[in-house]
Amino acid sequence: GHTPAAPPQAVALTDAQREAIKAHSIRTIDALHGQHAVKKRVAELVDIASRSAARGEKGFGVSAPVQMVMFLGPDGTGKTKVAEAFAGLRCGVGACAENKIVELRRRDVTDAGPGKASEIVEKHAEASIGGVLLIEDGGWLARGSDDPDYPFAPEVGKALVDVGVQHPGRLILLVTGGTDLRSRVAERQSLRSPWLNKTYPEIVEIEPLGEDELAAAFMGMLRDRNIRTGEDVEVVARQTLRKKMT
C-alpha cells in the first residue's frame, strides 16, 4: 500500500504573519477591477474555510479525499493570480498550516515516463500538505484513459485520491482551466470516474471584461499609481481596446 512520506514540520505562523499574508492577498483581489462576482465568490469560499477551521475541521469541512477549487475562464483573465490570492486568504484566516503553494505541471507528469506519473504526483501532493497544490491549465485532469493525448490522467487522479485518503481534508487542490473544464468534470463524474467522484469541487468563474470594464480597470491602475490623466487618455485607451477586440 501507499505509505505517505512525513511532511516536514512546519514552523507555526504567528498572528502577525497571517495578517500580513491576508492583507497582501486582499490587495491582489481588490486590484481586480470589474470582477465583482469573482471577489464575492472568493470571499464566500474563504468564509467557508474559516468557519471549518474554527470548528477544528480541515479543508471545507467535507469528507471528500480531494478538495478542489477550479478557477475557470479564458486565457489572460488572471486565473492563476486569483488562485494564489485565494491560497493566501485561506492562510490568513487560519485554514492552513503554511503559506505554501506547490505547483504540479503537466510537463512534470509527461516527462516522468510510463508508469511513473503516480510517483511524481504523490511526491508533489505530499509536499503540498499544509498548503495547497496548484495545477495550471488542468483541463487534462478530466480526460479518460481512452484519450490518446492524456492516458495518464486517471493515474494522476488515483494518486491524488490516495494521498488525500492518507491526509483527510488536508489535500487542497487549486486548478485553473478553460470554461469547458466544468462540463468535462461533470461528464466524468456522471460516468463514475474512479477519482473525480471522490473530489469536492468548488468553482470560481472569471469572465473576460468588456470595453467599459477594461477601460475602467486601466484608468483605475493609473490612479492607483498617482498618474494624472485627462479625458484624452481614456479615449486613446478605448480606441486601442476596440482594435484589440476586433
Side-chain angles (χ1 to χ4, degrees):
H2 168 68
T3 303
Q9 275 305 112
V11 177
L13 292 169
T14 65
D15 290 344
Q17 287 173 322
R18 288 190 185 277
E19 283 300 319
I21 294 165
K22 181 179 177 182
H24 174 75
S25 300
I26 287 174
R27 287 194 297 271
T28 300
I29 294 294
D30 284 347
L32 297 172
H33 296 278
Q35 294 286 4
H36 304 297
V38 172
K39 295 176 184 180
K40 181 180 178 182
R41 182 63 176 142
V42 167
E44 290 171 351
L45 293 177
V46 172
D47 184 58
I48 293 171
S50 176
R51 286 187 278 114
S52 296
R55 292 193 298 266
E57 298 171 345
K58 305 294 184 183
F60 294 102
V62 296
S63 59
V66 181
Q67 303 192 31
M68 175 169 63
V69 183
M70 297 189 293
F71 297 84
L72 308 181
D75 291 345
T77 49
K79 299 183 292 292
T80 299
K81 182 181 289 187
V82 175
E84 291 173 346
F86 170 72
L89 288 169
R90 282 188 69 250
C91 214
V93 299
C96 71
E98 300 175 72
N99 185 32
K100 175 175 63 175
I101 299 176
V102 175
E103 185 177 354
L104 175 65
R105 299 166 299 181
R106 180 171 55 188
R107 191 177 68 226
D108 295 328
V109 180
T110 55
D111 288 354
K116 294 288 188 179
S118 59
E119 181 181 333
I120 295 296
V121 173
E122 286 175 6
K123 179 180 177 181
H124 283 72
E126 293 282 1
S128 78
I129 299 300
V132 299
L133 180 64
L134 172 65
I135 301 181
E136 294 188 71
D137 297 321
W140 54 274
L141 286 169
R143 303 289 185 176
S145 56
D146 55 343
D147 189 311
D149 295 322
Y150 306 98
F152 51 81
E155 182 185 351
V156 169
K158 181 180 182 303
L160 289 171
V161 170
D162 287 346
V163 174
V165 168
Q166 295 292 333
H167 301 280
R170 300 186 67 204
L171 180 56
I172 308 298
L173 179 60
L174 308 184
V175 180
T176 68
T179 51
D180 59 330
L181 180 55
R182 180 207 285 262
S183 59
R184 285 214 301 273
V185 168
E187 178 186 4
R188 284 290 161 190
Q189 287 182 320
S190 69
L191 295 173
R192 303 198 181 281
S193 163
W195 85 273
L196 280 173
N197 281 339
K198 297 177 182 177
T199 67
Y200 176 77
E202 293 279 10
I203 293 174
V204 177
E205 289 204 59
I206 305 171
E207 300 289 343
L209 299 180
E211 180 187 317
D212 289 342
E213 292 88 352
L214 286 170
F218 176 70
M219 298 302 290
M221 285 188 292
L222 293 180
R223 285 193 298 272
D224 290 344
R225 289 164 174 77
N226 295 317
I227 299 174
R228 293 184 179 181
T229 62
E231 291 183 6
D232 55 328
V233 174
E234 183 170 350
V235 170
V236 172
R238 286 181 177 275
Q239 290 173 343
T240 303
L241 286 170
R242 290 189 194 108
K243 289 178 182 177
K244 294 288 185 181
M245 296 170 73
T246 56

